[in-house]
Amino acid sequence: MRLTRTVALAAAALLAAAPAFAQDPSPVGLWKNIDDVSGKPKALIRITEENGALQGKIEKLFRGPTEEQNPVCDKCTDARKDKPIVGMVIVSGLKKDGSEYNGGEILDPNNGKVYKSKLEIADGGKKLKVRGYIGFPMLGRSQTWERQE
């Protein structure tokens, strides 16, 4: 009886302490990019972290049957020019700053432009608010990505 009570008290103490060990959700993982204009999925992007900085690589594109299934970034002006979009790093250099990740950049393969970027985890880690902008965050576009894992 005494052992049962001790086990019960220990279990209660662990459950009470669990929130202290809880961590903020991480943006690391697989995300479905939802187009901010059409509302349709565009790509699956895998976000990884290396040396404290995030990077995102396209793993899959959602293309219509009449669209090129393996397009290249013909509008890119950097080393990514004419490289396949699948496998391309489009998000780089984002570092945690409070509840956001910022200080990085994002490439829009549709127009080849590179923008400053920031992101924020939302909905308990199920969504990612991604913003690309020129100069100030007010001058840009936002997308919400959905976690896939």
Side-chain angles (χ1 to χ4, degrees), residues 76-90:
C76 288
T77 58
D78 58 12
R80 296 173 277 206
K81 178 144 181 76
D82 296 326
K83 301 285 193 241
I85 293 174
V86 173
M88 183 174 285
V89 173
I90 63 162

Side-chain angles (χ1 to χ4, degrees), residues 129-140:
K129 294 180 180 181
V130 180
R131 183 136 182 98
Y133 58 94
I134 299 170
F136 300 99
M138 292 182 295
L139 305 173

Side-chain angles (χ1 to χ4, degrees), residues 35-93:
D35 186 86
D36 53 310
V37 176
S38 70
K40 295 181 180 179
K42 290 177 67 175
L44 290 179
I45 300 158
R46 169 99 38 205
I47 294 183
T48 58
E49 184 175 352
E50 187 172 324
N51 298 323
L54 299 178
Q55 88 169 15
K57 183 186 289 189
I58 294 180
E59 285 196 356
K60 178 181 179 175
L61 294 173
F62 298 106
R63 310 281 289 179
T66 60
E67 295 179 290
E68 171 64 45
Q69 296 302 304
N70 296 302
V72 296
C73 192
D74 56 352
K75 294 182 179 163
C76 288
T77 58
D78 58 12
R80 296 173 277 206
K81 178 144 181 76
D82 296 326
K83 301 285 193 241
I85 293 174
V86 173
M88 183 174 285
V89 173
I90 63 162
V91 176
S92 62

Side-chain angles (χ1 to χ4, degrees), residues 77-113:
T77 58
D78 58 12
R80 296 173 277 206
K81 178 144 181 76
D82 296 326
K83 301 285 193 241
I85 293 174
V86 173
M88 183 174 285
V89 173
I90 63 162
V91 176
S92 62
L94 290 162
K95 294 187 177 182
K96 188 161 179 60
D97 182 17
S99 64
E100 293 183 340
Y101 291 78
N102 55 43
E105 60 185 30
I106 188 166
L107 165 74
D108 182 345
N110 290 328
N111 63 22
K113 293 184 180 179

